[in-house]
Amino acid sequence: MEPLEGSFVGTTSSEEDDPFPSVKERRIPICIFFRNARLILKFDELGREIAQIALPAALALTADPIASLVDTAFIGRIGPAELAAVGVSIALFNQVSRIAIFPLVSVTTSFVAEEDTIRSVSSEAQESECLEACSIENAENMELIPQNESSDHLSELIQISSFKVSKFDQMPRRRHIPSASSALVIGSVLGLLQAIFLISAAKPLLNFMGVGSDSPMLTPAQQYLTLRSLGAPAVLLSLAMQGVFRGFKDTTTPLIATVAGDVTNIILDPLFIFVFHLGVSGAAIAHVISQYVISLILLWKLMQQIDLLPPSFKHLQFGRFLKNGFLLLMRVVAVTFCVTLAASMAARLGPTSMAAFQVCLQVWLATSLLADGLAVAGQAILASAFAKKDYNKARETTSRVLQLGLLLGLALAVLLGVGMHFGARLFTTDVGVLRVISIGIPVCCLF
């Protein structure tokens, strides 16, 4: 006996078409952590898609903190006061940047993934209509051809159809993605505003962070912050472009660009710091150059794929960005306020505590950003799945990403605890700084 249509047992309605989670998952949301948990490390189609996006994204995200770690290691050889000064400046620069970066990148990734999926589906439909039209035209022409001549004209018709299809395939492939153009404009404007703000208010901001006028950290901190702020437009523009590439599920291109820029930074650091004797200013100049290298590479690659200039100003989606990015902005402000407050309190304790805080913060960022690769993969796949109304894949992706994030977090906690215990001397040889770092290691592991 066949089950009744719409019954809960053997229902004919497909799970893929059900936009709602099960009753159990609605009542106990934590159940999503255990959904198909046995598949957490399975390298199936979903696992491969997550890995292809997450691994390059994680490497790209950690490349910049690793470059900052290299900066920290080089500057630590100058002295603890300079290391602490750079730590305050980097903390201040990063907190101001993150207020704009995370909402911009996250919203861009979702919008681009959605628009690209819709565009791809529409393009496939147009190609299918073209092929169908060619087939109908060939059939009508064959009916008009005498039977004895049909074989002679058949090859000619096939060639004509092939030419039409190939002509369709050879149409310009550069995509028109309005949200991508909007993100680039917003990123450029925010970058310029950030540079002007940080350069003009460098000293008051450092005083607010606890670096007083009589502090030995003030002069090097002001030099580093002012010079590094010149790279703010490149930083925000490059991150906006990375959001576009993530929306395309292409995290390899941002990885290549980021590695190229960071290698440039690592090469120029000792050259400017020790050969040209520029000290912390040399480290800032090297970092700024590396950011513009990253931006130029990404811009060159992006120009090959999309139309950067929209048909008109009305095609830009500033309102959509502001509406969807507001809640993300509030969350980022709350998080950055906590980190900025911690850096300010450390700076008030003196150069030794601030230097230790800088080392712990940069190591923590470098390791924790590995998990953000999973977030990038989940965001891109979810946006594409919802655009296709594939709700089952959205649920499976959510569960798998959460499970992998929990597993990765536990592994990183162990790695960080062991690594920092033995590797702290790579950043400084000051006994006082090393002692404070040893106190901060358990806190880094916990979070």
Side-chain angles (χ1 to χ4, degrees):
M1 177 178 176
E2 295 183 357
L4 295 174
E5 183 177 359
S7 62
F8 286 101
V9 181
T11 179
T12 58
S13 60
S14 173
E15 185 181 5
E16 284 80 358
D17 298 329
D18 180 17
F20 303 106
S22 64
V23 176
K24 185 176 181 181
E25 288 177 352
R26 288 200 301 268
R27 290 179 178 175
I28 312 177
I30 199 173
C31 288
I32 197 169
F33 278 98
F34 305 101
R35 180 185 175 90
N36 295 328
R38 66 184 184 280
L39 304 177
I40 181 173
L41 296 177
K42 185 175 180 181
F43 206 59
D44 53 6
E45 182 179 354
L46 179 59
R48 287 193 297 272
E49 187 174 7
I50 291 174
Q52 288 171 358
I53 300 174
L55 289 178
L59 293 175
L61 287 167
T62 55
D64 188 62
I66 288 173
S68 294
L69 282 176
V70 175
D71 277 350
T72 302
F74 283 128
I75 295 168
R77 304 301 171 185
I78 303 175
E82 286 77 6
L83 179 59
V86 171
V88 176
S89 299
I90 290 177
L92 185 58
F93 181 89
N94 287 343
Q95 302 324 308
V96 175
S97 297
R98 286 194 184 96
I99 292 176
I101 286 172
F102 282 101
L104 176 62
V105 175
S106 298
V107 171
T108 300
T109 299
S110 297
F111 287 172
V112 170
E114 179 185 358
E115 291 180 13
D116 191 48
T117 300
I118 295 173
R119 184 204 60 81
S120 178
V121 172
S122 176
S123 178
E124 291 175 0
Q126 290 178 4
E127 186 173 355
S128 176
E129 290 176 2
C130 179
L131 292 172
E132 184 179 353
C134 290
S135 300
I136 294 173
E137 183 180 351
N138 289 345
E140 292 175 350
N141 290 335
M142 287 297 295
E143 291 177 359
L144 299 176
I145 298 174
Q147 188 68 27
N148 57 351
E149 299 179 8
S150 59
S151 59
D152 297 331
H153 290 273
L154 179 60
S155 59
E156 182 180 350
L157 290 173
I158 292 174
Q159 291 178 359
I160 294 174
S161 299
S162 300
F163 173 75
K164 290 180 179 180
V165 174
S166 63
K167 186 177 181 180
F168 180 86
D169 291 335
Q170 292 174 2
M171 292 174 65
R173 291 296 183 181
R174 287 206 304 175
R175 291 167 274 192
H176 173 57
I177 309 291
S179 57
S181 302
S182 305
L184 296 186
V185 174
I186 294 172
S188 301
V189 173
L190 289 177
L192 289 172
L193 292 176
Q194 179 184 336
I196 295 171
F197 172 70
L198 289 176
I199 292 172
S200 60
K203 188 174 181 179
L205 288 172
L206 290 170
N207 291 336
F208 174 77
M209 291 290 291
V211 182
S213 300
D214 58 344
S215 173
M217 296 185 289
L218 180 61
T219 300
Q222 190 171 354
Q223 290 175 353
Y224 187 89
L225 180 60
T226 302
L227 288 171
R228 183 157 176 173
S229 298
L230 296 175
V235 172
L236 268 75
L237 183 60
S238 66
L239 287 169
M241 289 188 285
Q242 288 186 40
V244 175
F245 281 107
R246 292 173 190 174
F248 294 152
K249 298 182 181 179
D250 175 11
T251 51
T252 303
T253 300
L255 172 61
I256 294 172
T258 304
V259 169
D262 289 341
V263 168
T264 303
N265 184 27
I266 293 171
I267 293 173
L268 294 179
D269 257 343
L271 187 64
F272 288 161
I273 294 174
F274 303 115
V275 177
F276 296 153
H277 303 289
L278 295 177
V280 295
S281 298
I285 294 171
H287 195 87
V288 169
I289 293 174
S290 71
Q291 293 302 319
Y292 279 99
V293 169
I294 295 172
S295 294
L296 289 174
I297 294 174
L298 289 175
L299 185 61
W300 172 60
K301 296 296 291 185
L302 197 60
M303 289 174 62
Q304 299 175 358
Q305 299 189 32
I306 68 171
D307 292 319
L308 296 181
L309 297 177
S312 64
F313 184 81
K314 67 179 181 180
H315 286 84
L316 296 175
Q317 304 177 356
F318 297 142
R320 191 182 182 199
F321 270 80
L322 293 175
K323 178 182 177 181
N324 290 272
F326 180 75
L327 293 178
L328 277 173
L329 177 62
M330 294 298 100
R331 181 180 69 85
V332 172
V333 167
V335 173
T336 54
F337 175 77
C338 294
V339 178
T340 304
L341 180 62
S344 175
M345 298 301 294
R348 295 175 193 277
L349 294 175
T352 299
S353 297
M354 187 58 222
F357 177 84
Q358 162 68 1
V359 173
C360 290
L361 179 64
Q362 292 303 321
V363 172
W364 178 79
L365 284 174
T367 51
S368 63
L369 284 176
L370 287 170
D372 279 7
L374 288 173
V376 171
Q379 189 178 13
I381 297 173
L382 283 173
S384 178
F386 278 115
K388 294 179 180 178
K389 302 186 185 303
D390 190 350
Y391 302 112
N392 182 59
K393 184 175 182 180
R395 286 196 296 270
E396 294 296 333
T397 302
T398 303
S399 298
R400 186 77 64 90
V401 169
L402 288 175
Q403 292 162 5
L404 288 171
L406 180 61
L407 184 64
L408 180 60
L410 294 173
L412 288 176
V414 175
L415 179 64
L416 186 58
V418 176
M420 280 291 288
H421 183 73
F422 296 100
R425 291 186 177 275
L426 293 174
F427 304 101
T428 181
T429 56
D430 188 275
V431 177
V433 176
L434 290 172
R435 183 181 60 81
V436 180
I437 289 175
S438 65
I439 298 174
I441 290 175
V443 180
C444 293
C445 297
L446 181 62
F447 291 97

